[in-house]
Amino acid sequence: MKTLAFCLLLTCSLAQAEVYKYVDANGNVTFTNVPIKGAKPMHLAPLSTYGGGGSSKPRAAGNSRSASTPDGYPSVDNGTQSKRDEGRRKILEGELSNEKKALADAQKAYTEGAATRNGDETRNYQKYLDRVQKLKDAVTERQKNVDALRRELGQSASSAQ
C-alpha cells in the first residue's frame, strides 16, 4: 500500500499536480490530488528526468572513463574478463553436454513410447495420442535448449551433434 501511495505521489508530482497527505483516525495515510478536510499539501521538489544515478549534471567531456561504462561501475582488466569468459564457456559447454544427453534420452523414450500402446490405449486412441504428444513435446523442448546453448556458444546448428 505504501508503495502504491509512493508511486501515486511520484506520478502526481511529475504531472505538476498538487498532492495532499491525509492521515485518518486509525493512522492510515492517504496521498491524493483531491483536497480532503484535514489533508495537508505536500511541497515536493521537481524530479530530475535525466538518467545517470540521480545526478542531473552530465559528465565532463574530459572524463577518463569510457562512454560504455556507467558511473560507479567498476572496470575490469582484459585478463580478468578473459578468465570470466572462459569460466562461462566451460559452464555452457557442460550444460550443452547434459542437454544433449537429455535430448538423446527423450528421443529414445519417444521412439519406444510411440511404438507401443499401453493398457487401455488400445481401446482409447486419444490416451495414446496424448501420451505420445507429451513425449514429443519433451523432445522438442530439449532440442530448443540444445539450439539455444549452441547459439550462446557461437556454434552453428550444423556442427557435430
PDB file of all heavy atoms in Angstrom, residues 69-84:
ATOM      1  N   THR A  69      30.978   2.521 -19.980  1.00  0.00           N
ATOM      2  CA  THR A  69      30.990   2.141 -18.585  1.00  0.00           C
ATOM      3  C   THR A  69      30.146   3.125 -17.781  1.00  0.00           C
ATOM      4  O   THR A  69      30.487   4.301 -17.714  1.00  0.00           O
ATOM      5  CB  THR A  69      32.426   2.120 -18.031  1.00  0.00           C
ATOM      6  OG1 THR A  69      33.200   1.260 -18.841  1.00  0.00           O
ATOM      7  CG2 THR A  69      32.456   1.640 -16.607  1.00  0.00           C
ATOM      8  N   PRO A  70      29.056   2.661 -17.160  1.00  0.00           N
ATOM      9  CA  PRO A  70      28.214   3.560 -16.379  1.00  0.00           C
ATOM     10  C   PRO A  70      28.943   4.096 -15.149  1.00  0.00           C
ATOM     11  O   PRO A  70      29.905   3.492 -14.675  1.00  0.00           O
ATOM     12  CB  PRO A  70      27.037   2.681 -15.953  1.00  0.00           C
ATOM     13  CG  PRO A  70      27.131   1.439 -16.768  1.00  0.00           C
ATOM     14  CD  PRO A  70      28.540   1.322 -17.218  1.00  0.00           C
ATOM     15  N   ASP A  71      28.451   5.193 -14.637  1.00  0.00           N
ATOM     16  CA  ASP A  71      29.030   5.774 -13.422  1.00  0.00           C
ATOM     17  C   ASP A  71      29.004   4.762 -12.290  1.00  0.00           C
ATOM     18  O   ASP A  71      28.025   4.072 -12.078  1.00  0.00           O
ATOM     19  CB  ASP A  71      28.229   7.003 -12.976  1.00  0.00           C
ATOM     20  CG  ASP A  71      28.504   8.197 -13.855  1.00  0.00           C
ATOM     21  OD1 ASP A  71      29.544   8.214 -14.531  1.00  0.00           O
ATOM     22  OD2 ASP A  71      27.665   9.127 -13.870  1.00  0.00           O
ATOM     23  N   GLY A  72      30.083   4.655 -11.548  1.00  0.00           N
ATOM     24  CA  GLY A  72      30.142   3.808 -10.375  1.00  0.00           C
ATOM     25  C   GLY A  72      30.297   2.329 -10.685  1.00  0.00           C
ATOM     26  O   GLY A  72      30.327   1.514  -9.778  1.00  0.00           O
ATOM     27  N   TYR A  73      30.392   1.950 -11.938  1.00  0.00           N
ATOM     28  CA  TYR A  73      30.528   0.549 -12.295  1.00  0.00           C
ATOM     29  C   TYR A  73      32.005   0.259 -12.493  1.00  0.00           C
ATOM     30  O   TYR A  73      32.666   0.938 -13.268  1.00  0.00           O
ATOM     31  CB  TYR A  73      29.740   0.245 -13.569  1.00  0.00           C
ATOM     32  CG  TYR A  73      29.535  -1.217 -13.814  1.00  0.00           C
ATOM     33  CD1 TYR A  73      28.567  -1.920 -13.125  1.00  0.00           C
ATOM     34  CD2 TYR A  73      30.331  -1.896 -14.721  1.00  0.00           C
ATOM     35  CE1 TYR A  73      28.372  -3.261 -13.340  1.00  0.00           C
ATOM     36  CE2 TYR A  73      30.151  -3.245 -14.949  1.00  0.00           C
ATOM     37  CZ  TYR A  73      29.168  -3.926 -14.259  1.00  0.00           C
ATOM     38  OH  TYR A  73      28.995  -5.259 -14.475  1.00  0.00           O
ATOM     39  N   PRO A  74      32.524  -0.756 -11.795  1.00  0.00           N
ATOM     40  CA  PRO A  74      33.967  -0.997 -11.885  1.00  0.00           C
ATOM     41  C   PRO A  74      34.369  -1.529 -13.255  1.00  0.00           C
ATOM     42  O   PRO A  74      33.672  -2.335 -13.858  1.00  0.00           O
ATOM     43  CB  PRO A  74      34.214  -2.060 -10.815  1.00  0.00           C
ATOM     44  CG  PRO A  74      32.911  -2.740 -10.637  1.00  0.00           C
ATOM     45  CD  PRO A  74      31.855  -1.697 -10.915  1.00  0.00           C
ATOM     46  N   SER A  75      35.503  -1.065 -13.731  1.00  0.00           N
ATOM     47  CA  SER A  75      36.022  -1.586 -14.991  1.00  0.00           C
ATOM     48  C   SER A  75      36.858  -2.824 -14.681  1.00  0.00           C
ATOM     49  O   SER A  75      37.407  -2.963 -13.597  1.00  0.00           O
ATOM     50  CB  SER A  75      36.851  -0.540 -15.715  1.00  0.00           C
ATOM     51  OG  SER A  75      37.944  -0.164 -14.917  1.00  0.00           O
ATOM     52  N   VAL A  76      36.946  -3.732 -15.633  1.00  0.00           N
ATOM     53  CA  VAL A  76      37.648  -4.993 -15.443  1.00  0.00           C
ATOM     54  C   VAL A  76      38.747  -5.086 -16.486  1.00  0.00           C
ATOM     55  O   VAL A  76      38.528  -4.776 -17.655  1.00  0.00           O
ATOM     56  CB  VAL A  76      36.657  -6.172 -15.607  1.00  0.00           C
ATOM     57  CG1 VAL A  76      37.368  -7.501 -15.455  1.00  0.00           C
ATOM     58  CG2 VAL A  76      35.525  -6.065 -14.608  1.00  0.00           C
ATOM     59  N   ASP A  77      39.930  -5.523 -16.045  1.00  0.00           N
ATOM     60  CA  ASP A  77      41.036  -5.651 -16.998  1.00  0.00           C
ATOM     61  C   ASP A  77      40.785  -6.853 -17.913  1.00  0.00           C
ATOM     62  O   ASP A  77      39.986  -7.739 -17.612  1.00  0.00           O
ATOM     63  CB  ASP A  77      42.373  -5.786 -16.267  1.00  0.00           C
ATOM     64  CG  ASP A  77      42.450  -7.044 -15.438  1.00  0.00           C
ATOM     65  OD1 ASP A  77      41.974  -7.017 -14.280  1.00  0.00           O
ATOM     66  OD2 ASP A  77      42.979  -8.044 -15.953  1.00  0.00           O
ATOM     67  N   ASN A  78      41.477  -6.880 -19.035  1.00  0.00           N
ATOM     68  CA  ASN A  78      41.257  -7.909 -20.052  1.00  0.00           C
ATOM     69  C   ASN A  78      41.532  -9.319 -19.542  1.00  0.00           C
ATOM     70  O   ASN A  78      40.840 -10.259 -19.905  1.00  0.00           O
ATOM     71  CB  ASN A  78      42.100  -7.625 -21.295  1.00  0.00           C
ATOM     72  CG  ASN A  78      41.580  -6.432 -22.063  1.00  0.00           C
ATOM     73  OD1 ASN A  78      40.426  -6.049 -21.919  1.00  0.00           O
ATOM     74  ND2 ASN A  78      42.437  -5.839 -22.881  1.00  0.00           N
ATOM     75  N   GLY A  79      42.549  -9.487 -18.707  1.00  0.00           N
ATOM     76  CA  GLY A  79      42.875 -10.812 -18.175  1.00  0.00           C
ATOM     77  C   GLY A  79      41.752 -11.363 -17.315  1.00  0.00           C
ATOM     78  O   GLY A  79      41.370 -12.531 -17.440  1.00  0.00           O
ATOM     79  N   THR A  80      41.224 -10.520 -16.443  1.00  0.00           N
ATOM     80  CA  THR A  80      40.112 -10.941 -15.589  1.00  0.00           C
ATOM     81  C   THR A  80      38.897 -11.281 -16.433  1.00  0.00           C
ATOM     82  O   THR A  80      38.229 -12.287 -16.209  1.00  0.00           O
ATOM     83  CB  THR A  80      39.760  -9.836 -14.574  1.00  0.00           C
ATOM     84  OG1 THR A  80      40.908  -9.559 -13.785  1.00  0.00           O
ATOM     85  CG2 THR A  80      38.618 -10.249 -13.674  1.00  0.00           C
ATOM     86  N   GLN A  81      38.596 -10.444 -17.425  1.00  0.00           N
ATOM     87  CA  GLN A  81      37.443 -10.692 -18.283  1.00  0.00           C
ATOM     88  C   GLN A  81      37.617 -11.982 -19.074  1.00  0.00           C
ATOM     89  O   GLN A  81      36.670 -12.744 -19.245  1.00  0.00           O
ATOM     90  CB  GLN A  81      37.199  -9.515 -19.226  1.00  0.00           C
ATOM     91  CG  GLN A  81      35.897  -9.627 -19.993  1.00  0.00           C
ATOM     92  CD  GLN A  81      34.689  -9.674 -19.093  1.00  0.00           C
ATOM     93  OE1 GLN A  81      34.566  -8.881 -18.176  1.00  0.00           O
ATOM     94  NE2 GLN A  81      33.796 -10.609 -19.331  1.00  0.00           N
ATOM     95  N   SER A  82      38.836 -12.252 -19.533  1.00  0.00           N
ATOM     96  CA  SER A  82      39.101 -13.491 -20.270  1.00  0.00           C
ATOM     97  C   SER A  82      38.849 -14.712 -19.395  1.00  0.00           C
ATOM     98  O   SER A  82      38.269 -15.708 -19.847  1.00  0.00           O
ATOM     99  CB  SER A  82      40.534 -13.519 -20.779  1.00  0.00           C
ATOM    100  OG  SER A  82      40.726 -12.525 -21.756  1.00  0.00           O
ATOM    101  N   LYS A  83      39.289 -14.641 -18.125  1.00  0.00           N
ATOM    102  CA  LYS A  83      39.053 -15.752 -17.195  1.00  0.00           C
ATOM    103  C   LYS A  83      37.557 -15.944 -16.962  1.00  0.00           C
ATOM    104  O   LYS A  83      37.066 -17.070 -16.910  1.00  0.00           O
ATOM    105  CB  LYS A  83      39.764 -15.495 -15.868  1.00  0.00           C
ATOM    106  CG  LYS A  83      41.254 -15.662 -15.941  1.00  0.00           C
ATOM    107  CD  LYS A  83      41.902 -15.386 -14.604  1.00  0.00           C
ATOM    108  CE  LYS A  83      43.413 -15.429 -14.715  1.00  0.00           C
ATOM    109  NZ  LYS A  83      44.062 -15.057 -13.458  1.00  0.00           N
ATOM    110  N   ARG A  84      36.831 -14.851 -16.827  1.00  0.00           N
ATOM    111  CA  ARG A  84      35.384 -14.942 -16.643  1.00  0.00           C
ATOM    112  C   ARG A  84      34.720 -15.558 -17.871  1.00  0.00           C
ATOM    113  O   ARG A  84      33.838 -16.399 -17.759  1.00  0.00           O
ATOM    114  CB  ARG A  84      34.788 -13.557 -16.372  1.00  0.00           C
ATOM    115  CG  ARG A  84      35.128 -13.010 -15.012  1.00  0.00           C
ATOM    116  CD  ARG A  84      34.543 -11.635 -14.832  1.00  0.00           C
ATOM    117  NE  ARG A  84      34.911 -11.078 -13.537  1.00  0.00           N
ATOM    118  CZ  ARG A  84      34.640  -9.847 -13.160  1.00  0.00           C
ATOM    119  NH1 ARG A  84      33.977  -9.032 -13.962  1.00  0.00           N
ATOM    120  NH2 ARG A  84      34.999  -9.415 -11.970  1.00  0.00           N
TER     121      ARG A  84
END
